[in-house]
Each structure stands twice: as structure tokens, then as C-alpha cells.
Amino acid sequence: MSSEFLASGQNVLDSNLGGAWDITNGYAGRKQDLGIARRFGGSAAAYSLRDIGAMNGPVVRVRREPNDTTAGIDDEENFSASQVASGVLEDWVNGKLENTLPADVATAAAAYSLRKVKASYSGPVIRVRRADGAEGDVYFDSDDKLSSNSMVRFSSTESTGSFSVTGNGVQYNTTYTYNTSNGRWEAQGSESSQYYFLDSGTWTLKYAGGALASTVSGEYPWVSTWGPFLSGSVFDTSNIIFGLSDMTIGEFINGTDAFVHTWYDQTDNNDAVQLTSANQPKIAESGTLLDHINFDGNTFMDIGAFLMNATDGHCFMVISNLDTDVETFYISNRSGAKGLNFKNDTGDKGKLQVAFIGSGAITTNNVIIDDVSDNKQLIAFTKDSNDVEFFNNGAVVADDGSSRTYTTATGTANTSIGKQGNSSSASASVKQRIYELITYDTDETDNRFKIESNINNYYNLYNDGNDTSDTEWQFHNTETGTSANGTDGYVFKNSDADVGIASLELKDGVVSGDIIYYSFFYDRTTGSPTVRLASDETDSGSGVSNSDAVGTDTGFISGTLTATGTGSFFMIADNDNPSDFTISNFRMSRIARNGLVETWYDQSSNGNDATQGTATNQPAIVENGGLVTVNSKPAIKFDGTDNYFIMDSEVKFNSSDSDKANTILNVAYIVSGNRSYMGLGSGTNNWFGVPYIDNYRYRDNAGNIINTGDAVPLNQQISFTFVSDESNDIETYQNGTSIHSDNSTFTTHLRIKNIGRSYNGANYNEMSSQEIVFFADDKTSDITDLHNEINNYYGI
Amino acid sequence: MSETINYLVYDTEADAIARADTEGARRGYAYHRVGSGTRYHTYPQVTADSKYALVVNEYGLTEDEASATVTNVTFPTEEE
């Protein structure tokens, strides 16, 4: 009789419908509706990437690369089966879930932005000056950013200014700008007088001569606090006071330009200030609020402190519209012959440069910034004592390798945005737009991925997934039946001698030394494509990188292309006749993003987790940005070189001891092996070879070897099961069918502690593993149901 | 061209593990920050002459360690 407890509805109706459902044992202890790990009498240990008993708890613990070292913010996370399958895990590895704000990832020295970049900051974003001189502090809107809905709040000095009108009818008032020195509202511009008068019950502001002011509250810093009234009514205005009220910045700047007096530092350390109106950068033009601070012409801001002046430092900036024909200082703490300039030098237009005053400049080899481009870019540099490294949109940029000597700035503390620190003005031709500037007095290389991912997620600067300017794959020399699924993948068909090509244009072309990381799932009928970077999307001979062979086996593909020249295309080419294959889940990035498995949780509730605490030995679940899959189901990829897990507790196959595991059910995609699928992990005995010299072979604790004579199908998803009756009768199943029986070779048990490694602790399986379930007992009587369960999910 | 593998060889497993632990702490792996998770960057392997070899590529080595690294280590051979 099957030991399986079937899903509800298939059992006899229980009279005790109110019985408690136990999370471990299911309804009334009969384990209904539980996963395979808990049904069939429960398992000894169970590992899978689907929920077979985890009850929506974690199935894996994943370490992300690039990793961070922020205290209290771990670069390892647990993921449930649904999070693995739904893409949450992949998104986390790719930095798409980075919600920690940059100034909270690590202690920033200064943080300027038009969005909140430090969670605890509650102060204003900027102090804005309107063309007529009115100023106010602008606060974040409800979405923690600067927008037309952001409130402008005026200081008590400005808001207490008022005048009063008395009587009814026409009232004259010749002042409309508050003068703090004399407490009067004073006229400016061409309007020398205004007056309010009651018109059909509404107080209306008119200019001298009777011209109607278009909007009262938007045009001038007043808010009408009453009206309308019935026509003909008498209204005593003797006690009416006009004063400033909070208003939105949209109302405040209505129709005018506006400028930045202060860019507040969200670390509350050092605000960036420009006291001189003519030198103030712009935040609004003709009443339109900008999403950046526009440094146009002789505009700059001063910070009363030396930034990037410590031994180490890290600076992140989001910029656009830089005029590379103008010497432009992003930031500069130069003080006399000391300090540094981060700048665009006209001698190296568009390159990133940090000059250590008195020692020389460190400049990128290649142009990084496009001339006057609307494209926002995240540029960054680290200062590690005397060395500088540059970054652009999350990727490392080659520098010139030279090391300069930094001399600590001293004297009157200042760092300028937009001009050289110790100069009095910026170039009249300066053009740059700045959205965000954050500096640290520490080298944040280890946290760079986290910081930059948060910045990128907000500004959408670069697409970590597929950084291409195409909306879908482009094809050359292919035939009917070829079609693209956006940039995610395509169906490829070709049946002539010409090389068929699929390509994507890189958003930013590569130069020698650039690296592109890629991954995709390859489902092949025929063909043997190769992957490369190229300079001509129609010519596979225009390759400018190494050329990776995709191979002839369906499966998850990942790799690295290193540019040897200049090119603009990611290309997959195939000259097989015919070619017929599908690419899906394509990922491409300049950032190596991998998720390595630290723990494969035991879903049996016995706590026998399989772990790998050594980083370089951890198998991968995300490679180059893509979730490892086999037949569209997640998998853990062992590289065949040094990846393996160690089970918390040893189990014994073909045993009657308390730690027995006499049925072992497996789902995997095997590439190669050498007595290394699983086993003790030391010594020459105690291993399952899947394969060993092509076949399923096993060796017990006494050294007896079973050779099934059955070859292990490689490069395809299979299920295989080992069953023992505890008395040396060993059965092997493959895809639900018994393929071998042996009852005379084994004389004792087989010890298991390692997955992916065995013989002498030196042999490793190359494979993608999806499920391993150890049942304590001989499950021969349930074997059909077990395999049906596997087949129902995996389709094997 | 394959990368040269550099090893430090220790007489005892404990010394080798201690060095691996130090490197894991330097890298700020989770175990050293929150008490669980990844602990080491590489882990020692026993050699044919019963010593313990630790791959130290990308390690932060002292000058003495750097001069003590070797590139040839013999590991136990397979037997039937």
C-alpha cells in the first residue's frame, strides 16, 4: 500500500473536519497537501529549488557578487522557492532591489541630490531664489523628491512682512516685495503700483493703469485668504493682512526662472552655497522646474569644507549635458598648490580626469562623456592614497595606471562644484547638469555595487539586463521562422551556407579591454553558434573579441567577452546548415553579477542543510545576471572544478542505522563526473559516480564497486533514483524506469556527506542540480508515485 | 592563458584554516560580520606529503607570505 498521503479530496471524508492542521504533519497527521519532502512518510533530507516541504520558507541562501561589506547589511540573503522562480532572486543579484539609499549604505561625507539620499534627512532640498529676489526653502514632495508639488517654506522673517488695506473699494498698494531692512513691500520692475479692488465680489489685484494681473498668488508672494463675495456686498478690509504662506514651488516660480542659493547637504555637514545671484545655477526656466541643477555659464557653488581630502575617498556624480569643449570642474578642493580637481580637461575632451595638484593628472584612456548629451551618466572615482580608479555607469573604466602624489589641502576649507576650488569664478562657457553628488571619506569599492545600483534604479541610467539601443534582436542571412522576442531572445532558423547572424547594438560601444558578461538559455535542435563582439552587425568576420562556442547541447549558457578592439555589436553567429535553435532569458552587462549558493536548505524539517562556507567553492544559481535554469526550472550549477556542498549530518545508503537513507531521488543535468556526484568526500570509497567512466557506478564503504553498465545520459535533464533494501539489494532507476539491479556486490553501507564532490575530496561533478531527496526507507512500493510526482513537475 | 595558482603551504591544518579565516575576515564575508554565512575565500587542501596547501591568489599577503608562496604543489594521486 502506498505510503503517500494524497491531496484532500481523494481520501475518505473525515468526520473530524475541525481537526487541527499541523504544519509539520499536515491535516490530522496525514501529511495531505504537503510537498514530496514531507509526504511518503517524510524524508531524511530534501533539497530542491521548488517548495517540497519548506512551507514557503527559504530553500537557498545566496551570496551575491559583487559583494558588499557594510556592517549590518549582509550580501547574503535567504530566498523561498517562489522568490527564486519569480525573478526576485535574479533581481536581487542584479541590484534591482537595492532600496538602501546611498548615504545610508555607508557614512557619506556629503550628499547633495534632488531626491532623498539619506532616509533620516528631513531638511530642505534647496533654497531657491526667484528672479524677483524672493527666496524660500524647498522640501521634498511626498515621494521624497523635488517636484512641482514640493512645498516652499519661507523664513519667519519673510512671512511676517505684511501690509494692510483699509476701507472698501479701490485700495492702492505700491509695494509687493518685502524689504527686510525697512519692513515694507516695495515695487520692482515695470509695475510701480498695484491695487486691489472689489470686483463682483472678488478681490482682484490689478496693475497701475488697470491691467489685470494674471494670477495673484502665483505672480506675487501673496495668497488671497478670502473671497469671492456676492456682488454689491460691503467688505471691511481694515484688518486684512497680506502675508507669505507656504506654497508649492510650481506656484512660487510660476512663469519665471529660479536659481539655487543653497543645495543642502543631506548629511547635515556642509551645504553647497552661492551667495551671488549672478553665479547661482538654475533650477527652473520660464516657470518649468528642472530635474537637475543647471550649471550654465559662470555658475558654481562653494562648500565650506574639504571633500575628498582624506587618505581614501569615493565620489559619485550623476551628470549630463557636459560641454567637453570647455574646461569644467565637477568638483575641486584645490587650495593653492594642494588638493585635487575632478574635471573635464579640454586636452582630453570627454575623458575623466583627476589631477593631484602639484603632481599630475590621472586620466582615462578613452572618452567617457559624450559632448553635450542628454544622456545622464553615473561617473565615479575612488581615491586610495595616491591611486585613482574611475567608474562609468557601474563598470570599471581603464585608467592610465599612473600613480600621483596627493597633497592634503589646507587653509580656508572649501570645495567647489563647477569651478576650481581656489579660483574666484567659473568659465563663462561652463555647461553641465548635475543631479546628484555624494562623497565619502572612505574607499567604498566593496559597497560600490550597492550604492550604484540604488542610483541606477532611481535614474534608470543603464539597463543591467540588456544594455542595448535596439528594441529587439536584429537578423542577417536568416530565413522564415526566425523571430525576435524583444531583446530577451529569439528563434533562429537558417538552412544555407551563409553565416546567419543575430545581433544587438550595444548602447555604448566597446573599446579594447572592455568586458561584457552574458548569459542565456539555449534550446537547440540543430546548430553550433558562437558568441562574439563585432564591429559590423552583418559580418561575423568583424569580431573584436574572443569568440565563445555555444556548443551543441541545450542548456544554460554564460560567458565573458573581452574586447580586443572597437565594436558596437553583440553577435551570435552560426553557419551550420541547417540551424534551428532558440535563445531566451538573454542577459548582458558590463558588471559581473553572480549569485552563489551558501546553503541549500533541507526541506524535510530535519535541519540537515547542505552548505558551502568557502566562497570559491560555492556553486552558482545566478550567472552573469541570469538565473541558471534547466528546462525552464531553476537549478544550481556546479562548475566541475571545485564546487560542492557539505551536508550537516552524514547519511548512509544501504543501511539499517538511524541515519539511513535508502532511497535517493535526484533530478539533474549532468555534464561530466569522475566518481563525484555525491559521497563521503574523502578517501577512495563511498561515492556515487554519475558518471564514472561513462556509467552509473557506486562504491560502498568496503570498497565494493557496482558498475551498472548503463551510461549516464549527459547534457540533458534526467531523474535517477538509487534504492536499497538495506540488505545490499541495490536498484537504479532512470526517468522512472528501473535500469539496473544488483544484490551481490555491496556488502555494507555507502556514506554520504558531500554533494558534487567525492573521491578523495578531489573530484567534482560538473552539473546543474535541481532536486535531491533522501528517504530513510526503501521506497520501492512508492517508486511509481514518486516518479510521477517528479514527472508532473519537471516533465521528465 | 590560464592563471598561475599561488599557494601557501602549512604544516598543520589548523594553521592553514586560520589563515583562510583571516582572509575571509579581511574580505568581510558574512560569517565575520553577522556570525553566519560565507566564511572563507579559499580552503586548504591536503598535499601528497601530508601538508596543507592554501590557494592565495587575490589574498592580501604580507611581504613574508608573498615571498613564501609556491606554484607547484603535489596532491594525492588517484588509486583504484
Side-chain angles (χ1 to χ4, degrees):
Chain A
M1 184 175 88
S2 171
S3 64
E4 178 185 13
F5 296 104
L6 302 176
S8 61
Q10 298 188 42
N11 285 327
V12 175
L13 184 64
D14 196 298
S15 59
N16 182 21
L17 296 178
W21 188 86
D22 182 278
I23 194 168
T24 301
N25 297 306
Y27 172 67
R30 288 188 267 168
K31 304 187 190 302
Q32 277 92 333
D33 301 321
L34 302 175
I36 193 175
R38 296 179 187 262
R39 290 156 53 199
F40 302 98
S43 57
Y47 312 101
S48 180
L49 295 173
R50 61 170 174 145
D51 196 325
I52 57 173
M55 306 296 188
N56 211 33
V59 297
V60 283
R61 179 183 173 92
V62 177
R63 178 181 65 85
R64 177 174 66 187
E65 289 181 346
N67 64 305
D68 71 80
T69 57
T70 49
I73 302 174
D74 207 325
D75 60 345
E76 295 192 9
E77 293 284 351
N78 287 329
F79 293 90
S80 67
S82 63
Q83 289 172 321
V84 172
S86 67
V88 170
L89 164 62
E90 184 180 293
D91 282 347
W92 175 77
V93 170
N94 291 335
K96 295 185 185 299
L97 304 182
E98 288 309 310
N99 295 324
T100 305
L101 299 174
D104 292 322
V105 173
T107 302
Y112 312 96
S113 181
L114 301 180
R115 63 154 180 152
K116 186 175 281 193
V117 290
K118 186 171 176 61
S120 62
Y121 181 69
S122 59
V125 184
I126 58 173
R127 181 175 179 84
V128 63
R129 176 184 65 83
R130 205 171 57 189
D132 62 3
E135 290 190 12
D137 283 337
V138 188
Y139 287 75
F140 292 117
D141 67 8
S142 57
D143 291 325
D144 285 335
K145 67 179 190 302
L146 182 71
S147 75
S148 58
N149 293 323
S150 295
M151 295 305 294
V152 183
R153 295 187 185 135
F154 304 97
S155 68
S156 58
T157 302
E158 291 173 314
S159 63
T160 56
S162 64
F163 66 88
S164 62
V165 293
T166 60
N168 297 323
V170 176
Q171 301 296 326
Y172 290 90
N173 176 37
T174 60
T175 66
Y176 66 96
T177 301
Y178 186 68
N179 187 325
T180 56
S181 65
N182 59 22
R184 300 191 323 179
W185 291 93
E186 298 180 344
Q188 286 188 358
S190 60
E191 290 78 35
S192 60
S193 67
Q194 317 84 42
Y195 54 89
Y196 277 90
F197 74 95
L198 190 61
D199 179 15
S200 300
T202 300
W203 283 99
T204 306
L205 179 66
K206 282 193 181 257
Y207 294 120
L212 182 66
S214 56
T215 55
V216 174
S217 61
E219 191 74 31
Y220 301 99
W222 298 295
V223 174
S224 296
T225 59
W226 73 98
F229 302 94
L230 292 175
S231 175
S233 61
V234 176
F235 189 72
D236 182 357
T237 62
S238 59
N239 292 311
I240 302 301
I241 296 178
F242 291 86
L244 288 173
S245 304
D246 291 353
M247 62 181 66
T248 67
I249 190 173
E251 293 169 329
F252 180 70
I253 63 175
N254 188 36
T256 70
D257 293 351
F259 305 87
V260 180
H261 172 281
T262 304
W263 199 0
Y264 287 99
D265 176 10
Q266 296 186 35
T267 69
D268 288 320
N269 288 326
N270 302 292
D271 301 330
V273 177
Q274 180 50 262
L275 300 174
T276 303
S277 60
N279 300 126
Q280 290 172 343
K282 197 175 282 186
I283 190 62
E285 289 183 353
S286 302
T288 299
L289 185 67
L290 305 176
D291 64 353
H292 55 271
I293 296 182
N294 188 6
F295 291 80
D296 189 358
N298 184 11
T299 57
F300 59 93
M301 306 196 82
D302 286 322
I303 302 165
F306 288 126
L307 301 184
M308 300 296 290
N309 203 33
T311 301
D312 297 335
H314 210 137
C315 174
F316 300 88
M317 294 185 73
V318 179
I319 67 164
S320 73
N321 297 84
L322 177 77
D323 185 345
T324 60
D325 291 323
V326 178
E327 184 176 61
T328 302
F329 296 86
Y330 302 118
I331 62 168
S332 166
N333 67 10
R334 177 170 184 171
S335 177
K338 304 172 183 175
L340 62 80
N341 292 329
F342 180 35
K343 58 183 280 193
N344 170 70
D345 190 290
T346 53
D348 290 295
K349 295 180 186 178
K351 298 181 182 180
L352 299 181
Q353 182 183 95
V354 171
F356 288 172
I357 308 304
S359 178
I362 303 163
T363 310
T364 59
N365 290 332
N366 302 300
V367 171
I368 303 300
I369 309 293
D370 294 330
D371 187 30
V372 196
S373 168
D374 288 336
N375 291 333
K376 299 192 221 16
Q377 283 179 259
L378 170 57
I379 57 174
F381 74 94
T382 56
K383 175 171 158 290
D384 179 3
S385 188
N386 294 326
D387 292 322
V388 168
E389 190 165 21
F390 295 103
F391 308 90
N392 176 43
N393 282 350
V396 178
V397 176
D399 61 18
D400 70 352
S402 61
S403 177
R404 307 294 183 189
T405 302
Y406 180 73
T407 304
T408 304
T410 58
T412 302
N414 180 54
T415 300
S416 293
I417 305 172
K419 73 167 175 69
Q420 191 160 211
N422 66 347
S423 65
S424 60
S425 64
S427 163
S429 304
V430 161
K431 279 186 174 52
Q432 61 174 336
R433 298 179 184 180
I434 302 180
Y435 303 76
E436 194 157 298
L437 165 62
I438 303 171
T439 72
Y440 302 81
D441 286 337
T442 47
D443 183 347
E444 292 302 320
T445 295
D446 288 340
N447 295 319
R448 183 173 66 83
F449 180 72
K450 185 179 278 287
I451 294 168
E452 292 183 333
S453 292
N454 179 268
I455 294 173
N456 182 44
N457 291 339
Y458 182 82
Y459 292 102
N460 198 27
L461 302 168
Y462 47 94
N463 186 346
D464 285 334
N466 297 330
D467 213 359
T468 173
S469 52
D470 284 323
T471 58
E472 62 179 22
W473 284 87
Q474 306 296 307
F475 303 106
H476 304 277
N477 297 329
T478 57
E479 63 183 38
T480 302
T482 298
S483 63
N485 177 23
T487 57
D488 184 77
Y490 56 86
V491 176
F492 187 92
K493 293 186 188 294
N494 189 32
S495 58
D496 60 31
D498 293 331
V499 176
I501 292 173
S503 66
L504 286 173
E505 183 170 11
L506 301 172
K507 196 173 179 183
D508 295 309
V510 295
V511 295
S512 181
D514 284 349
I515 298 175
I516 299 293
Y517 304 91
Y518 68 89
S519 67
F520 54 86
F521 190 78
Y522 172 58
D523 190 352
R524 174 189 182 272
T525 301
T526 59
S528 57
T530 54
V531 178
R532 63 175 61 82
L533 300 172
S535 58
D536 181 344
E537 64 177 334
T538 67
D539 180 8
S540 64
S542 70
V544 294
S545 72
N546 52 301
S547 177
D548 284 354
V550 175
T552 58
D553 297 307
T554 290
F556 177 81
I557 306 296
S558 69
T560 304
L561 299 175
T562 302
T564 55
T566 301
S568 300
F569 300 98
F570 186 101
M571 176 184 291
I572 303 178
D574 188 25
N575 64 352
D576 268 15
N577 182 7
S579 299
D580 184 354
F581 58 84
T582 300
I583 301 289
S584 61
N585 203 39
F586 179 78
R587 296 283 181 267
M588 173 177 67
S589 176
R590 293 168 186 264
I591 306 169
R593 301 157 302 156
N594 301 300
L596 297 312
V597 182
E598 190 275 340
T599 300
W600 202 359
Y601 286 102
D602 173 15
Q603 298 189 44
S604 73
S605 80
N606 291 319
N608 194 359
D609 300 330
T611 61
Q612 180 48 263
T614 300
T616 53
N617 297 128
Q618 293 170 342
I621 192 168
V622 175
E623 267 196 354
N624 289 342
L627 180 70
V628 176
T629 59
V630 175
N631 280 348
S632 303
K633 298 289 196 300
I636 298 176
K637 188 178 173 193
F638 296 71
D639 65 2
T641 301
D642 57 9
N643 294 168
Y644 67 101
F645 287 123
I646 304 172
M647 296 167 65
D648 190 65
S649 302
E650 179 182 309
V651 296
K652 293 186 179 67
F653 179 71
N654 191 39
S655 170
S656 57
D657 293 345
S658 60
D659 57 356
K660 61 185 178 179
N662 289 313
T663 301
I664 308 174
L665 188 153
N666 311 272
V667 179
Y669 176 107
I670 306 292
V671 177
S672 67
N674 184 2
R675 295 165 284 187
S676 50
Y677 176 70
M678 69 167 64
L680 182 60
S682 61
T684 59
N685 298 334
N686 293 294
W687 46 260
F688 281 97
V690 183
Y692 175 45
I693 315 178
D694 300 326
N695 295 343
Y696 291 95
R697 299 179 201 247
Y698 329 125
R699 193 175 199 183
D700 69 10
N701 194 49
N704 303 295
I705 298 178
I706 292 176
N707 177 8
T708 66
D710 296 284
V712 175
L714 301 180
N715 300 309
Q716 57 185 279
Q717 186 186 42
I718 54 174
S719 76
F720 48 98
T721 306
F722 314 119
V723 183
S724 162
D725 70 346
E726 302 183 13
S727 299
N728 307 319
D729 189 345
I730 311 301
E731 196 85 12
T732 303
Y733 296 82
Q734 179 178 286
N735 293 342
T737 300
S738 173
I739 61 172
H740 188 262
S741 296
D742 184 297
N743 61 10
S744 60
T745 305
F746 271 17
T747 61
T748 186
H749 55 264
L750 191 163
R751 302 168 63 190
I752 302 167
K753 193 96 169 14
N754 280 205
I755 297 169
R757 177 183 83 156
S758 196
Y759 190 92
N760 261 339
N763 289 6
Y764 302 86
N765 246 47
E766 184 176 355
M767 63 183 181
S768 294
S769 181
Q770 297 177 290
E771 192 156 305
I772 305 175
V773 183
F774 298 87
F775 293 98
D777 298 319
D778 177 351
K779 291 295 182 185
T780 300
S781 61
D782 293 317
I783 206 70
T784 300
D785 292 329
L786 281 168
H787 288 141
N788 284 341
E789 214 278 352
I790 293 297
N791 182 45
N792 287 342
Y793 182 78
Y794 290 101
I796 301 174
Chain B
M1 180 167 59
S2 61
E3 181 186 7
T4 300
I5 300 177
N6 297 308
Y7 302 90
L8 283 175
V9 180
Y10 294 87
D11 290 334
T12 69
E13 186 179 29
D15 287 345
I17 291 173
R19 184 60 183 90
D21 203 45
T22 300
E23 178 63 14
R26 187 186 77 85
R27 288 174 175 270
Y29 283 138
Y31 178 88
H32 300 281
R33 288 181 287 122
V34 298
S36 65
T38 304
R39 182 170 181 173
Y40 311 103
H41 185 60
T42 59
Y43 200 75
Q45 300 170 259
V46 64
T47 65
D49 55 351
S50 299
K51 293 187 187 295
Y52 296 86
L54 182 66
V55 173
V56 292
N57 289 42
E58 300 173 359
Y59 270 47
L61 299 177
T62 65
E63 283 189 11
D64 287 346
E65 287 177 331
S67 53
T69 58
V70 297
T71 57
N72 287 312
V73 173
T74 303
F75 294 103
T77 56
E78 299 180 359
E79 59 180 85
E80 278 300 323

